[in-house]
Amino acid sequence: MQHQNLVNVITDALPGLNKSERKVAEAILSDPESATGSSIASLAKRANVSEPSVNRFCKRFNTAGFPDFKLKLAKSLVSGVRFVNRNVDPNDTVESYTPKIFDSTINDLALIRDSIDHSVVNAVVDQLIQAKRVYFFGLGTSGSVARDAENKFFRFNLPVSFHDDVLMMRMLASTGSAGDVFFVISHTGRTKEIIDIAEIASNNGATVIALTSSSSPLTAVSSIALEVDVPENTDEYMAMTSRIVHLVVLDVLATGFTLRRGPDFLPHLERIKNSLKPTRYQSED
Amino acid sequence: MQHQNLVNVITDALPGLNKSERKVAEAILSDPESATGSSIASLAKRANVSEPSVNRFCKRFNTAGFPDFKLKLAKSLVSGVRFVNRNVDPNDTVESYTPKIFDSTINDLALIRDSIDHSVVNAVVDQLIQAKRVYFFGLGTSGSVARDAENKFFRFNLPVSFHDDVLMMRMLASTGSAGDVFFVISHTGRTKEIIDIAEIASNNGATVIALTSSSSPLTAVSSIALEVDVPENTDEYMAMTSRIVHLVVLDVLATGFTLRRGPDFLPHLERIKNSLKPTRYQSED
DNA sequence: ATTATTTACGTAATTTTACTACATATGGGG
DNA sequence: CCCCATATGTAGTAAAATTACGTAAATAAT
């Protein structure tokens, strides 16, 4: 885990710290934001320890010294590090749970950004570019993602549709053939019905692209799997962020698609955009 | 604009800088990451200017001094500052456009996280808690958001539905009354049809909640407006991130809702979660 | 229990870093 | 060509961080 959050690292290390180090840790955790701005002297005073104790504390956390520590702490605080991996609890107020939700989403996006396999993205764009037809399949929450994907990809002058009805999916899969792309979205990748359908399409020679988590049964029956591992959310209060990540991945694919089509294609997109103008009040974008 | 990215600010200010300041700017921009780690002396040397010039440069950008500047620069570099507000261009490869898309989404989320009005969130949760019925309305992309909202809120044992058919919406609005909540989602808030419908519902005494951008016509005809201003994306290649922000805002509302309902409600959510188990292979969460 | 030994912590000196005040230079307008 | 404004650098000062060292506390061994 390359990019662990300093605040969390300190919190986790708390039990193993000795007296003055713990004082420093508590002083920092009580107000991390202000810690990034203060000098070693003022922090030492606030924690009731000597300056070298603060310095030693910093070095314990793999930083070159106090300035370096402040820097890394500051970085940790961006994109809501304060709350990342900190669950919503029943005592939270709007002021506290709102940033928690945002931050946990941001955190997951950053995670996938850094771990997504670019060659797979490229391969998927390849398939989409060549496709005669594209079907987006998804159930439940993933159904909304599939619907959004349709809305995005139809702009590319490509026969595309989304489906959230398993019988419809099954029929379409059974009539699929080479040139058809079945883009199957499933967070768990374990829904039996969906796996069945993917298998049918695959057996008919169609291309099956899965947007799902790694080493899921769905991956196994797909031509290409865009494996996106969003950390499971065990917290009852916390939302499922996987669908958000999926949407962004689809944005990435759409971007790749547009770039591959080249600049001649842009006027077409512009035309679609403009088509909505008469439905709106006043001018915009 | 409170939280502009320092790297971009410097880039934009470049033309208006004088000679030595520009040298400093270029030295920083050529390797911002290393700039955050170096001392004022080494940076001055690298830019071929004196130390006070570097200091003056920092102050010009509304920072207290060099250390403060480094801090802010470091923060800017987190969550892909490299790319934020930097558009996708035709020469981008997968490796470069992928993080751009993620970062622009992350950036927008952070922006809204810091600017969202908590009291409005609270007020909306109030209304949802009291609602006899909730309708989620949205067209196009916002239709997918509405669909996702339905999927989220039906778990609360609340009569809820989503609609993306304007005739259906119109009929529902016309039969609405006090106790009914019409939750209208629209990025622009300018779609005539939607505004009409919101007005009808409102005139019938129903509560109209709008999730839209500020000072839009839709805001005017709503009981409560959750104003979320996602920066317009003028780039042809870049995706619309407003729908993602909307989804997260709905997550926030759902969280607020759950918390308001109290811990007695959690077993109900658990039961819904478990209901899907038989549809899947193997065990999970 | 008492001493030895390690570990923790603080004091003070040293070094590094940043800032300020001032001086010189550079360039544009009269 | 000189004056004034702005830009930049020099040198000194203050602040900050680090190191070296010494003392105190804690732990282990006898």
Side-chain angles (χ1 to χ4, degrees):
Chain A
M1 182 126 307
Q2 189 224 4
H3 200 46
Q4 251 295 32
N5 178 303
L6 239 193
V7 179
N8 296 350
V9 170
I10 294 173
T11 309
D12 294 345
L14 216 52
L17 263 41
N18 39 26
K19 226 182 298 176
S20 50
E21 283 176 331
R22 172 156 326 137
K23 284 193 210 167
V24 177
E26 279 161 1
I28 291 170
L29 292 175
S30 77
D31 188 356
E33 190 65 45
S34 90
T36 63
S38 56
S39 71
I40 195 167
S42 67
L43 181 61
K45 198 174 161 199
R46 211 149 57 81
N48 270 311
V49 297
S50 69
E51 302 185 18
S53 286
V54 176
N55 190 268
R56 280 187 287 262
F57 172 87
C58 296
K59 287 183 174 167
R60 178 178 278 259
F61 289 98
N62 296 315
T63 62
F66 186 65
D68 186 39
F69 176 86
K70 279 195 291 188
L71 213 77
K72 288 184 171 147
L73 180 64
K75 285 182 178 180
S76 293
L77 294 174
V78 187
S79 66
V81 165
R82 261 160 312 162
F83 294 122
V84 169
N85 290 336
R86 297 283 166 259
N87 291 339
V88 172
D89 69 82
N91 300 320
D92 272 324
T93 61
V94 214
E95 284 80 13
S96 59
Y97 69 71
T98 303
K100 278 185 186 178
I101 304 286
F102 273 91
D103 288 342
S104 117
T105 308
I106 288 172
N107 195 49
D108 289 346
L109 284 174
L111 228 66
I112 301 304
R113 173 196 62 195
D114 297 338
S115 68
I116 197 166
D117 189 331
H118 297 299
S119 66
V120 175
V121 172
N122 240 341
V124 171
V125 173
D126 277 345
Q127 291 298 328
L128 291 172
I129 282 278
Q130 291 166 30
K132 288 205 316 266
R133 242 212 92 91
V134 180
Y135 300 99
F136 289 100
F137 286 2
L139 295 177
T141 299
S142 296
S144 303
V145 178
R147 185 188 190 285
D148 188 86
E150 181 200 70
N151 197 284
K152 188 170 282 297
F153 278 85
F154 98 91
R155 293 160 201 254
F156 298 144
N157 225 355
L158 185 76
V160 51
S161 57
F162 98 94
H163 300 274
D164 54 3
D165 172 337
V166 287
L167 294 186
M168 198 67 206
M169 290 183 196
R170 201 173 265 273
M171 291 189 285
L172 289 167
S174 70
T175 61
S177 63
D180 290 342
V181 169
F182 289 84
F183 196 111
V184 184
I185 304 163
S186 166
H187 168 49
T188 63
R190 307 195 156 278
T191 310
K192 294 170 185 169
E193 197 70 41
I194 286 284
I195 294 164
D196 259 26
I197 289 163
E199 227 164 356
I200 294 168
S202 190
N203 290 338
N204 282 338
T207 303
V208 176
I209 299 172
L211 178 54
T212 184
S213 56
S214 67
S215 63
S216 69
L218 178 56
T219 297
V221 300
S222 305
S223 321
I224 316 177
L226 250 168
E227 300 185 342
V228 163
D229 287 314
V230 181
E232 284 290 334
N233 225 321
T234 49
D235 186 353
E236 281 288 1
Y237 297 105
M238 211 57 127
M240 249 225 328
T241 51
S242 65
R243 71 201 204 290
I244 309 257
V245 175
H246 287 170
L247 284 168
V248 177
V249 170
L250 281 158
D251 282 349
V252 170
L253 294 173
T255 303
F257 195 99
T258 314
L259 289 174
R260 204 70 73 80
R261 277 276 174 96
D264 297 347
F265 189 60
L266 293 178
H268 175 77
L269 294 178
E270 192 59 35
R271 226 176 307 134
I272 293 181
K273 236 181 176 176
N274 290 336
S275 73
L276 294 179
K277 275 216 176 118
T279 68
R280 297 194 182 127
Y281 287 118
Q282 264 179 310
S283 76
E284 39 108 18
D285 34 309
Chain B
M1 183 127 303
Q2 189 225 3
H3 201 43
Q4 251 294 32
N5 180 304
L6 240 192
V7 179
N8 297 350
V9 170
I10 294 172
T11 310
D12 294 345
L14 215 51
L17 295 168
N18 38 28
K19 226 182 299 177
S20 48
E21 283 176 332
R22 174 159 322 139
K23 284 193 210 168
V24 177
E26 279 159 2
I28 291 170
L29 291 175
S30 78
D31 189 356
E33 190 65 45
S34 91
T36 63
S38 54
S39 70
I40 195 167
S42 67
L43 181 61
K45 198 175 160 198
R46 210 149 58 81
N48 270 308
V49 297
S50 68
E51 301 186 19
S53 286
V54 175
N55 191 267
R56 279 188 287 260
F57 172 88
C58 297
K59 286 182 174 166
R60 179 176 278 259
F61 288 97
N62 296 316
T63 62
F66 187 65
D68 186 39
F69 176 86
K70 280 195 292 189
L71 212 78
K72 287 181 174 150
L73 180 65
K75 284 183 180 178
S76 294
L77 294 173
V78 187
S79 67
V81 167
R82 265 158 312 161
F83 295 123
V84 169
N85 291 336
R86 296 283 163 256
N87 291 338
V88 172
D89 69 82
N91 301 318
D92 272 325
T93 61
V94 213
E95 284 80 12
S96 59
Y97 69 71
T98 304
K100 277 186 188 177
I101 304 286
F102 273 92
D103 288 342
S104 115
T105 307
I106 289 173
N107 195 48
D108 289 346
L109 285 173
L111 226 66
I112 302 303
R113 174 196 61 195
D114 297 338
S115 68
I116 196 167
D117 188 331
H118 297 300
S119 66
V120 175
V121 172
N122 239 342
V124 172
V125 173
D126 277 344
Q127 291 298 327
L128 292 171
I129 282 278
Q130 291 166 28
K132 289 204 317 264
R133 242 211 93 91
V134 180
Y135 300 100
F136 289 100
F137 286 2
L139 296 177
T141 300
S142 297
S144 304
V145 178
R147 186 190 190 284
D148 188 86
E150 180 200 70
N151 196 284
K152 188 169 279 298
F153 278 87
F154 97 93
R155 292 160 202 255
F156 298 144
N157 226 355
L158 184 76
V160 52
S161 58
F162 98 94
H163 301 274
D164 54 3
D165 173 336
V166 286
L167 294 185
M168 198 66 206
M169 289 182 195
R170 200 173 266 274
M171 290 188 285
L172 289 167
S174 69
T175 61
S177 62
D180 289 343
V181 169
F182 290 84
F183 197 111
V184 184
I185 304 164
S186 166
H187 168 50
T188 63
R190 308 193 156 281
T191 309
K192 295 171 188 171
E193 198 70 42
I194 287 283
I195 294 164
D196 259 25
I197 289 162
E199 227 164 356
I200 294 168
S202 189
N203 289 339
N204 281 338
T207 303
V208 176
I209 299 172
L211 178 54
T212 185
S213 55
S214 68
S215 64
S216 68
L218 179 56
T219 298
V221 300
S222 305
S223 321
I224 316 177
L226 251 169
E227 302 186 343
V228 163
D229 288 313
V230 181
E232 284 290 333
N233 226 320
T234 49
D235 187 354
E236 280 290 358
Y237 297 105
M238 211 59 126
M240 249 224 330
T241 50
S242 63
R243 71 200 203 290
I244 309 256
V245 176
H246 287 170
L247 284 167
V248 177
V249 170
L250 282 158
D251 282 349
V252 170
L253 294 174
T255 303
F257 195 100
T258 314
L259 289 174
R260 205 71 73 81
R261 276 278 174 94
D264 296 348
F265 189 59
L266 293 178
H268 175 78
L269 294 178
E270 193 60 35
R271 226 176 305 134
I272 293 181
K273 235 180 174 176
N274 289 337
S275 72
L276 294 178
K277 274 214 174 120
T279 69
R280 300 196 180 125
Y281 288 119
Q282 264 177 310
S283 77
E284 37 104 22
D285 36 304

